[in-house]
Amino acid sequence: MAKVVSTLFISADGVAEIDPDWHFPYFDDNMGRAVTEDYDTSDVLLIGRETYDSFAGAWPGREAEGGDDAPFAKQLGDTRKVVVSRQPLEFSWRNSELIQGDLVDAVAALKADAGIKGILIPGSISVVQQLLAAGLVDELRLLVHPVAARKGRKLFDEGDRPYHLRVTATEAYPTGVIRVIYSPADAPGQAGYDDAKEQLATGS
């Protein structure tokens, strides 16, 4: 089964809607390496309409300009891009296609496709939220910035049950950014205060 990986820049208070004012000052070569690693995990990008419009409005031009980011822009252009939209779209960026049918069913089919090694969701908060609820996200790769954004859409929406996660990797950068990779996990056993108080340090 292909792995579905969500990669997000996120603030300390959980905002995943990027504001350039709090994101770009923290972008360094460590974050660049992490982003490259995330994109190298996949051969399919799954993106929402807003993210697609943002990417398609920037990366083809950067590829054509031939600057420092042209190789990464070419990598994005060469990658298959499956776009989630309720409306028909006309694509100008190569290797782009509209998702077919229901999101959950379509992603389940992509995961089961033996010809796909990995599916990366950059940004696209609403897509990630729907797939988290359906249990189809295999990894959350978060670059947590040392700033409380205080406004913007958060990654985790309101719901009836918690998402339990297991930390599989962490890395702290000199900028204060922390890279955390989570995988879904089973809920821990039942416990209450009586259990917790046994773990408190005893004063001398």
Side-chain angles (χ1 to χ4, degrees):
M1 296 284 284
K3 182 183 291 187
V4 174
V5 174
S6 165
T7 179
L8 289 159
F9 304 121
I10 192 167
S11 67
D13 57 343
V15 172
E17 185 175 39
I18 298 173
D19 183 333
D21 288 341
W22 63 252
H23 168 57
F24 284 115
Y26 294 102
F27 202 104
D28 66 353
D29 57 345
N30 295 290
M31 193 182 293
R33 172 180 50 79
V35 169
T36 299
E37 288 176 2
D38 292 345
Y39 278 85
D40 286 347
T41 66
S42 67
D43 46 8
V44 172
L45 296 185
L46 179 67
I47 46 182
R49 169 67 183 271
E50 291 182 11
T51 301
Y52 177 81
D53 287 345
S54 175
F55 278 26
W59 290 110
R62 291 170 182 166
E63 181 181 355
E65 289 168 4
D68 291 342
D69 53 359
F72 182 67
K74 182 180 185 303
Q75 178 182 348
L76 291 180
D78 290 343
T79 301
R80 178 185 176 189
K81 292 165 284 292
V82 179
V83 184
V84 181
S85 174
R86 294 186 177 89
Q87 300 175 347
L89 299 175
E90 292 187 6
F91 297 111
S92 57
W93 197 14
R94 68 184 184 278
N95 298 320
S96 300
E97 63 191 74
L98 189 65
I99 199 165
Q100 299 299 315
D102 174 76
L103 172 62
V104 171
D105 292 341
V107 173
L110 288 171
K111 281 175 65 70
D113 187 333
I116 295 175
K117 72 174 184 178
I119 302 158
L120 185 70
I121 313 171
S124 309
I125 302 169
S126 63
V127 174
V128 176
Q129 289 174 342
Q130 293 176 70
L131 296 181
L132 277 171
L136 289 175
V137 176
D138 298 294
E139 283 188 356
L140 284 172
R141 297 190 172 199
L142 306 182
L143 287 158
V144 185
H145 295 50
V147 57
R150 303 185 67 199
K151 62 179 180 179
R153 294 180 63 194
K154 294 190 174 185
L155 168 58
F156 298 108
D157 54 359
E158 294 287 333
D160 297 328
R161 60 183 179 84
Y163 294 128
H164 294 279
L165 305 169
R166 176 172 59 91
V167 176
T168 61
T170 61
E171 189 177 8
Y173 303 149
T175 57
V177 170
I178 300 173
R179 186 189 192 198
V180 186
I181 301 179
Y182 291 106
S183 295
D186 294 331
Q190 294 293 317
Y193 178 71
D194 286 342
D195 302 288
K197 70 182 182 182
E198 296 178 5
Q199 310 304 320
L200 297 174
T202 303
S204 56

